[in-house]
Structure formats: structure tokens, C-alpha cells
Amino acid sequence: MTIFSLKIIALICMILDHIAEYFSGTVPMELRWIGRISAPIFIFCVIEGVIHTSNLKKYLFRLYIGSALMGIGSIILNLLFKKASVPITNNVFSTLFLIAMLITGFEYAKPIKQKIFFALTFTIMQIAILIFEFFIVTYFFNNEPALVQTAYYCGIGGVLPNIIFCDGSFLWIILGILMYYFREKRVKFIIMYIFFSGIQAVFTISYGINIQNFLFINYQWMMLAALPFMLLYNGKRGKNVKNFFYVFYPLHIWAIFILSNMIAI
């Protein structure tokens, strides 16, 4: 299975997930179960992209531009549809950019002193970004509901990527780094991924141990279903249509969001 095939599978699962997210109560919620497959596969693909790209700077730049444009567009739409029951918080580009940047930083910083310097610089920048976001959102959107405020945090987080207000928050960042370091150790990769998926199930226990909570409250553990697809990867890129994914991701979310709100009017 090529990178192209994996991206197509992730893309289809992602579309179904977002339809169920923005048309909540109208379409079967079970579609969101299928959507748990998409993010891990996209993270897997970006790791392969970092490893095999011929121009790492351009690759990182594309991811950042995708993140920034997604963030700006989502802020505009959230402002236009202030009464939306589900504001836009999605931006997988910010997560993928952060994972790619962290992997690149630690790999290129060979001496331990350089790695420490990179880690400190990244940490300071993240704290500064979060403080800046806090003041912006508090100043302009203080009277908005918590979910709406989160949407603006995520929107600004597209322009200023941070490990808190990105898709999956810091957990996806950790997963990406672990997937990178275990990528050539198949058995360890499988154990790590199963363990990480299991942690998601443990989180559900806080809501109470029953089938309802595991299936309809916190069902992120279903990301385990992405593992067989990643294991089928054959090391090949497949069709080169990288720009399609950069364009399709924001457009499909914005289209679904707009349509759901127009129907609700």
C-alpha cells in the first residue's frame, strides 16, 4: 500500500467523520467511529514525508502555509456564523507541522547541547504563543461560550501553531514522535500503537465504565483500526498529487460547515 493509497483511505474516513461532526443529530454518529482512522494515517504519512522529501524546508513551509490559511479561513467563517452549534476547530495541518518541525529539529541538532537549545527554544516559543493567544481570545471573545473560545484558540493556533490548540492537542504530537522513532522497529511500533490506543480507552473510564461511554462519549480508542493500514505500507509514494490534499482539506471542512449552517437557518 503506497502513501497515496493511505492518504485516500484517510481522506474518505475524514470526510465521513466531518459530516457526522457538523451534521450532528442528522446523520449517524457512528460515522465518527470510522473517522478515528484518519488522523493516525495522516501522521504516519507526514513522517514518511519528512524522511523522503527532497526539500525539507519547502515541505515544512507547505505544512505551515496550509495550517495558517486553514486557521485564518476558519476564524472568518466562525465570525460569519456566530450561531453555529459546532464551530470549526479542525486543523490537522498545525499538528502535522509541529510533528515535522520537532522531528527535524531533534534530528538536525546532533550534539546534545544543540538538542537542549532547540528544546528550550521551542518550549519558550510555545509558552509565548499560548500567553499571546490567551490575551487575544480573552480580550475579543471573553463573553463567548467556552466552545466558541476554543474555536478561536484553534484558529489562531493555525497561524501560530502550538501543542495545545492543534488537532489532538499534545497527545497527537507525542504519538507522531513515537511513530517516528519506532518506524523501523515493526514489533515495537505495533506494541507502542496498541498501548497508545489503549490509553485512550483508559481516559474513557473517567466518564464511567459502560458501553455507552466507550462507543458514544470517548471513542478515540477506535484509532486502533488504523494500524493494519499502516502495516501494509510498502515504502512507495504512489501517485504524486500532494497539492490536492493541501487544497481539499480546508475546502471540504469549510463546505460542510457552511452547508450545515445554511440548512440550520
Side-chain angles (χ1 to χ4, degrees):
M1 187 169 287
T2 65
I3 286 294
F4 174 77
S5 301
L6 287 171
K7 285 184 177 180
I8 291 297
I9 291 170
L11 183 146
I12 293 171
C13 294
M14 175 183 67
I15 294 172
L16 296 175
D17 181 36
H18 290 153
I19 290 174
E21 178 181 5
Y22 290 103
F23 284 92
S24 178
T26 304
V27 300
M29 191 265 184
E30 286 79 2
L31 292 179
R32 302 220 66 190
W33 299 350
I34 300 173
R36 299 312 94 203
I37 295 174
S38 60
I41 292 179
F42 279 129
I43 292 172
F44 181 86
C45 290
V46 87
I47 290 170
E48 289 298 311
V50 170
I51 295 169
H52 295 110
T53 183
S54 58
N55 192 321
L56 189 53
K57 289 183 179 180
K58 285 186 177 180
Y59 187 70
L60 289 170
F61 181 72
R62 283 197 302 271
L63 287 172
Y64 173 73
I65 292 300
S67 175
L69 292 178
M70 180 72 197
I72 293 170
S74 297
I75 289 174
I76 292 172
L77 286 176
N78 284 329
L79 287 170
L80 291 174
F81 295 92
K82 290 185 177 181
K83 295 183 179 181
S85 59
V86 183
I88 302 175
T89 58
N90 317 83
N91 191 347
V92 74
F93 285 135
S94 62
T95 304
L96 300 180
F97 169 75
L98 287 167
I99 291 172
M101 184 178 68
L102 284 169
I103 291 172
T104 301
F106 281 114
E107 284 299 304
Y108 277 79
K110 294 299 181 182
I112 188 64
K113 289 184 178 179
Q114 288 186 10
K115 292 183 185 293
I116 294 173
F117 177 76
F118 173 76
L120 288 174
T121 302
F122 179 80
T123 301
I124 292 170
M125 289 181 64
Q126 287 292 294
I127 293 172
I129 288 171
L130 288 171
I131 292 173
F132 174 77
E133 283 198 38
F134 173 77
F135 281 109
I136 291 295
V137 174
T138 301
Y139 184 81
F140 288 103
F141 308 106
N142 190 44
N143 295 324
E144 298 290 346
L147 182 59
V148 175
Q149 289 188 18
T150 299
Y152 289 118
Y153 273 116
C154 293
I156 299 171
V159 182
L160 299 171
N162 63 83
I163 63 172
I164 302 300
F165 296 104
C166 61
D167 265 8
S169 192
F170 62 91
L171 287 175
W172 287 134
I173 306 298
I174 293 172
L175 176 62
I177 294 172
L178 291 174
M179 288 171 72
Y180 174 76
Y181 282 105
F182 287 114
R183 69 191 186 281
E184 295 179 349
K185 302 170 184 177
R186 194 176 182 86
V187 175
K188 290 183 178 180
F189 182 95
I190 294 171
I191 294 172
M192 176 277 296
Y193 192 80
I194 292 174
F195 178 77
F196 195 93
S197 302
I199 290 176
Q200 309 302 316
V202 171
F203 290 159
T204 308
I205 295 175
S206 63
Y207 298 97
I209 304 177
N210 59 65
I211 296 297
Q212 182 73 14
N213 289 338
F214 278 98
L215 296 182
F216 298 101
I217 301 299
N218 184 6
Y219 39 85
Q220 188 57 48
W221 59 270
M222 295 182 186
M223 62 182 280
L224 183 61
L227 181 60
F229 296 103
M230 293 185 286
L231 294 178
L232 289 172
Y233 172 54
N234 59 14
K236 297 180 180 179
R237 181 174 65 178
K239 292 183 180 180
N240 183 13
V241 289
K242 57 188 177 184
N243 291 329
F244 169 76
F245 295 100
Y246 285 99
V247 174
F248 183 84
Y249 178 77
L251 290 183
H252 95 278
I253 290 180
W254 295 339
I256 293 172
F257 174 78
I258 292 171
L259 183 60
S260 68
N261 282 281
M262 290 180 68
I263 292 175
I265 294 175

